[in-house]
């Protein structure tokens, strides 16, 4: 019995030092300018007040500016997007946020890469890093069931590339403990922005994950993506949350290389109807070509600050309309 107690004591002692090491590593090395730290801290301060969530990948966090939308719509919203967010990450981030907030509506971005691309370690970790509650962090890791994701998520020390970058350590500690200022391209409530402007591209074709084949249809969609989009819809239905799937506007250069977009629209409109969710596709917004010109984007598919301003104004007008279908081409 004495040996068992001794072993248990040693185990907890090792776990304590490991947790202290990981906590210290995050404090010193987790970059302030990635905005994940700022976003989580801000969401913690807003706990109990958020009624609207904008969810998805980087398309989302460059598009929705909550302060602008809240002023028009009378909401208290948060942009819950992360880079390359897979839909399993979206689902658990929603569960994480809804537990602490009176969420009434959720907007989930539908994009080709998270639909078609098999998620990698960095994709899964992006969702984990943005969660606030350990209950949902652990449930998420159990659902992912990938050892490399567990290691990268739980052991931040495995992500550190340069332990002797003293300049970065000093800057991180100063920003986290002293100034607590937001980085220059983080505008609050999860929204990131850039002033960069798309200058065109030479390649006329998109990569495989940024195009849709009418011939291949649903065979192109990852099973995990489809499963968790359905789970998001079921959860929203269970909680009485109004769910809308949204496709973003893009540059004409991107759309020209994306192939069978009408078939993609039909496919996801039918899925949304089956799941009991609304669907807005700004690819077919009637005035897209005039408003969403190249100067509204930072590259061929991400909006810049100017594009976000235009999109938020139009988005608010559409969702307040009694006939939102009037804003879109008939497909």
């Amino acid at each position: 019995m004495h040996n068992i107690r001794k072993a248990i004591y040693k185990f907890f002692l090792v776990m304590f030092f490991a947790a202290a090491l990981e906590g210290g590593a995050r404090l010193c090395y987790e970059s302030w300018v990635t905005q994940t730290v700022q976003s989580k801290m801000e969401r913690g301060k807003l706990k109990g007040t958020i009624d609207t969530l904008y969810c998805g990948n980087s398309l989302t966090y460059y598009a929705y500016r909550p302060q602008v939308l809240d002023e028009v719509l009378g909401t208290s919203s948060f942009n819950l997007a992360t880079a390359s967010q897979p839909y399993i990450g979206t689902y658990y981030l929603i569960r994480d946020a809804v537990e602490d907030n009176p969420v009434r509506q959720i907007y989930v971005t539908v994009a080709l890469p998270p639909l078609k691309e098999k998620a990698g370690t960095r994709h899964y970790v992006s969702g984990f890093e943005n969660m606030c509650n350990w209950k949902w962090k652990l449930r998420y890791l159990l659902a992912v069931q990938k050892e490399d994701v567990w290691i990268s998520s739980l052991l931040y020390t495995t992500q550190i590339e340069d332990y002797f970058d003293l300049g970065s350590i000093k800057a991180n500690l100063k920003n986290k403990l002293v100034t607590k200022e937001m980085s220059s391209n983080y505008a609050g409530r999860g929204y990131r922005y850039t002033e960069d402007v798309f200058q065109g591209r030479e390649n006329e074709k998109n990569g495989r994950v940024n195009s849709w084949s009418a011939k291949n249809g649903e065979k192109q969609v990852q099973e995990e993506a489809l499963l968790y989009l359905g789970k998001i819809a079921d959860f929203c239905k269970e909680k009485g949350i109004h769910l809308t799937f949204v496709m973003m506007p893009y540059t004409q250069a991107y759309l020209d290389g994306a192939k069978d977009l009408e078939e993609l629209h039909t496919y996801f409109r039918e899925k949304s109807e089956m799941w009991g969710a609304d669907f807005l596709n700004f690819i077919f917004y009637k005035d897209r070509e005039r408003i969403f010109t190249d100067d509204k984007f930072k590259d061929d598919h991400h909006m810049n600050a100017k594009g976000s301003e235009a999109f938020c104004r139009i988005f608010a007008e559409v969702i307040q309309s009694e006939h939102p279908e009037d804003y879109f081409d008939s497909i």
Side-chain angles (χ1 to χ4, degrees), residues 152-212:
S152 293
S153 297
L154 295 173
L155 299 177
Y156 185 78
T157 48
T158 63
Q159 301 179 37
I160 299 171
E161 296 180 355
D162 185 0
Y163 279 92
F164 300 100
D165 186 357
L166 300 181
S168 293
I169 294 172
K170 182 180 178 181
N172 282 330
L173 291 175
K174 182 181 178 181
N175 278 313
K176 292 175 184 177
L177 302 177
V178 183
T179 61
K180 297 183 180 179
E181 294 178 356
M182 292 183 179
S183 66
S184 59
N185 63 335
Y186 180 78
R189 290 184 176 252
Y191 169 67
R192 284 83 156 166
Y193 75 96
T194 176
E195 303 287 354
D196 294 348
V197 177
F198 177 55
Q199 300 297 326
R201 66 182 192 185
E202 295 180 5
N203 186 6
E204 295 181 359
K205 293 183 179 180
N206 296 355
R208 180 188 61 82
V209 298
N210 282 294
S211 61
W212 182 262

Side-chain angles (χ1 to χ4, degrees), residues 140-156:
Y140 174 58
L141 291 181
L142 288 173
V144 171
Q145 295 185 349
K146 294 182 184 294
E147 186 178 336
D148 55 339
V149 177
W150 295 353
I151 292 170
S152 293
S153 297
L154 295 173
L155 299 177
Y156 185 78

Side-chain angles (χ1 to χ4, degrees), residues 168-279:
S168 293
I169 294 172
K170 182 180 178 181
N172 282 330
L173 291 175
K174 182 181 178 181
N175 278 313
K176 292 175 184 177
L177 302 177
V178 183
T179 61
K180 297 183 180 179
E181 294 178 356
M182 292 183 179
S183 66
S184 59
N185 63 335
Y186 180 78
R189 290 184 176 252
Y191 169 67
R192 284 83 156 166
Y193 75 96
T194 176
E195 303 287 354
D196 294 348
V197 177
F198 177 55
Q199 300 297 326
R201 66 182 192 185
E202 295 180 5
N203 186 6
E204 295 181 359
K205 293 183 179 180
N206 296 355
R208 180 188 61 82
V209 298
N210 282 294
S211 61
W212 182 262
S213 165
K215 179 181 178 182
N216 293 329
E218 190 170 273
K219 290 187 290 185
Q220 300 162 90
V221 182
Q222 292 290 325
E223 287 185 18
E224 180 186 88
L226 208 55
L227 172 66
Y228 279 92
L229 285 168
K231 281 180 174 286
I232 290 168
D234 290 342
F235 174 71
C236 288
K237 199 178 301 180
E238 176 190 332
K239 295 294 183 181
I241 297 170
H242 186 261
L243 174 65
T244 304
F245 292 112
V246 181
M247 284 189 178
M248 294 294 176
Y250 298 94
T251 63
Q252 193 60 48
Y254 180 93
L255 296 176
D256 287 344
K259 299 172 67 175
D260 303 321
L261 293 174
E262 290 190 7
E263 287 78 7
L264 172 62
H265 173 88
T266 301
Y267 169 76
F268 213 85
R269 183 192 64 209
E270 291 174 353
K271 283 292 181 187
S272 299
E273 289 172 356
M274 182 184 76
W275 289 326
D278 287 341
F279 177 49

